[in-house]
């Protein structure tokens, strides 16, 4: 079984090196293929990627943004590895532990062909996101997580309307079926939510693994409140 990982990047070479180092030491027996979409970085990212023999990378024109970069990666994987089972999107501004991919796959395999997202925590290990609820009629996005929300013995949360591109694994066949995301309508923000909602509309379940965690420095609560 192969997990194709797509990471869109623009500069932030230090963060890119960190997430790749995290992925290289994953405690899993599955094959991992890492595809970097470098959208015109000017900080040495391109030169560094050329020196890494275990990575695949494609270069954009600086105008792809998140949606265009993801679609470029999707099209490459569909063309070159159409029979692979999984595709994982993750950003370069997060960190993960060694059991991250195994924790995602544990839920993804058990609930196949569902799409499985990650819990987002800050560096203080506080939960800042498990997924959103979305009201299309009001165009409102509300983060589900509240401080008084408790999980006891659960390892999966199924009541989400969308999944974040910070760490989500899809069956490749679901991505092929919906023909990727609409990067013209969602070139950057909410492109990840849009893609997962398209897949959900086709009948694929969305859920979050409570054991698959990505850590971020971003002030996610501030972004949610904008």
């Amino acid at each position: 079984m192969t997990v194709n990982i797509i990471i869109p990047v623009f500069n932030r070479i230090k963060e890119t090196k960190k997430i790749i180092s995290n992925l290289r030491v994953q405690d899993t027996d599955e094959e991992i293929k890492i595809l970097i979409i470098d959208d015109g970085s000017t900080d040495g990212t391109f030169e560094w990627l050329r020196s890494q023999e275990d990575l695949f990378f494609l270069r954009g024109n600086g105008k792809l943004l998140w949606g265009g970069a993801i679609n470029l990666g999707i099209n490459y994987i569909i063309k070159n590895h159409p029979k692979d089972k999984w595709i994982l999107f993750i950003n370069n501004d997060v960190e993960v532990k060694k059991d991250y991919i195994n924790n995602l796959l544990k839920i993804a395999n058990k609930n196949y062909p569902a799409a499985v997202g990650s819990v987002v925590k800050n560096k203080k290990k506080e939960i800042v996101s498990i997924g959103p609820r979305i009201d299309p009629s009001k165009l409102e996005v509300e983060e589900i997580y509240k401080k008084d929300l408790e999980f006891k013995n659960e390892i999966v949360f199924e009541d989400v309307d969308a999944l974040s591109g910070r760490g989500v694994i899809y069956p490749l066949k679901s991505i092929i079926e919906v023909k990727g995301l609409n990067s013209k309508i969602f070139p950057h923000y909410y492109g990840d939510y849009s893609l997962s909602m398209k897949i959900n509309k086709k009948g694929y379940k969305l859920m979050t693994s409570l054991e698959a965690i990505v850590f971020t420095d971003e002030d996610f609560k501030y972004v949610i409140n904008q």
Side-chain angles (χ1 to χ4, degrees), residues 94-174:
V94 301
E95 296 179 32
V96 297
K97 294 184 178 180
K98 291 182 179 182
D99 60 356
Y100 173 70
I101 288 181
N102 260 356
N103 284 333
L104 271 182
L105 287 173
K106 178 168 64 175
I107 301 303
N109 282 317
K110 184 177 180 179
N111 295 278
Y112 188 83
V116 182
S118 308
V119 174
V120 181
K121 290 187 177 183
N122 60 25
K123 292 302 176 65
K124 296 179 181 179
K125 298 184 178 181
E126 300 168 329
I127 296 176
V128 294
S129 175
I130 61 170
R133 289 221 174 87
I134 297 177
D135 185 340
S137 64
K138 297 180 181 179
L139 298 177
E140 289 182 352
V141 179
E142 180 182 4
E143 176 55 47
I144 292 171
Y145 176 71
K146 305 294 181 185
K147 286 187 176 180
D148 58 353
L149 185 61
E150 294 184 3
F151 300 105
K152 295 183 179 179
N153 299 315
E154 297 90 342
I155 61 171
V156 63
F157 186 76
E158 299 187 42
D159 192 17
V160 293
D161 291 337
L163 295 171
S164 167
R166 280 177 175 80
V168 55
I169 193 166
Y170 290 98
L172 181 55
K173 72 172 188 174
S174 69

